């Protein structure tokens, strides 16, 4: 399955916008509707929770300027599983699921599709990628 097919599956499951990046912060999806600040992605990839608490996450979606999202939390994880990162700005939310090699980024700009729904959709793809070695 291509990386774009995973993003398409997220969209089909109701996530308004999604992308997948590597741990180096580079997008695996050409012409993605979401651009994330590379420093934010590297902080997630490297588990730098203090840096996330200070700087949050900078996100740009199609037709918008860069916006800073506040870091909410990272639950504990077990080796070989995905990690979850939550960010919020008003009614907008970003959920990032970190796998062994990828960062799955789900964005919602509406209360109708909540942060928890973004996280759930991203985790579903993340679990599949982890079991496939990604």
């Amino acid at each position: 399955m291509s990386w774009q097919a995973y993003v398409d599956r997220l969209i089909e499951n109701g996530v308004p916008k999604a992308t997948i990046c590597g741990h180096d912060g580079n997008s695996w999806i050409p012409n993605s509707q979401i651009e994330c600040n590379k420093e934010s992605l590297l902080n997630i990839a490297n588990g730098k929770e203090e840096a996330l608490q200070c700087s949050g996450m900078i996100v740009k979606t199609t037709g918008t300027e860069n916006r800073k999202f506040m870091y909410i939390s990272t639950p504990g994880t077990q080796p070989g599983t995905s990690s979850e990162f939550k960010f919020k700005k008003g009614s907008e939310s970003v959920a990032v699921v970190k796998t062994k090699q990828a960062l799955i980024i789900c964005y919602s700009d509406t209360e109708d599709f909540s942060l928890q729904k973004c996280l759930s959709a991203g985790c579903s793809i993340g679990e599949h990628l982890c079991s496939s070695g990604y």
Side-chain angles (χ1 to χ4, degrees):
M1 184 180 280
S2 71
W3 297 115
Q4 183 63 53
Y6 286 112
V7 169
D8 293 344
R9 183 184 290 176
L10 288 166
I11 303 298
E12 289 167 7
N13 288 323
V15 175
K17 296 180 183 173
T19 194
I20 300 176
C21 297
H23 284 198
D24 60 0
N26 292 317
S27 178
W28 293 355
I29 307 299
N31 304 316
S32 175
Q33 294 182 325
I34 304 173
E35 293 177 31
C36 299
N37 175 279
K38 196 167 189 174
E39 182 179 347
S40 300
L41 295 174
L42 291 173
N43 285 335
I44 292 170
N46 296 318
K48 295 184 177 179
E49 192 170 348
E50 280 186 29
L52 292 172
Q53 290 171 345
C54 293
S55 64
M57 183 167 186
I58 308 296
V59 176
K60 180 181 183 200
T61 58
T62 305
T64 68
E65 297 296 320
N66 286 344
R67 291 176 321 288
K68 183 177 181 178
F69 286 72
M70 183 176 72
Y71 172 70
I72 298 174
S73 68
T74 307
T77 58
Q78 299 173 356
T81 63
S82 59
S83 303
E84 306 163 4
F85 298 82
K86 302 176 193 174
F87 300 87
K88 194 89 170 126
K89 179 177 179 62
S91 64
E92 298 174 281
S93 56
V94 176
V96 181
V97 177
K98 175 184 168 186
T99 69
K100 296 173 187 174
Q101 298 180 42
L103 300 172
I104 302 160
I105 302 154
C106 300
Y107 166 86
S108 177
D109 57 357
T110 174
E111 293 291 341
D112 294 336
F113 200 85
S114 69
L115 176 58
Q116 192 55 43
K117 287 180 182 177
C118 277
L119 195 56
S120 178
C123 283
S124 175
I125 299 291
E127 288 170 16
H128 172 73
L129 290 178
C130 281
S131 69
S132 301
Y134 285 96

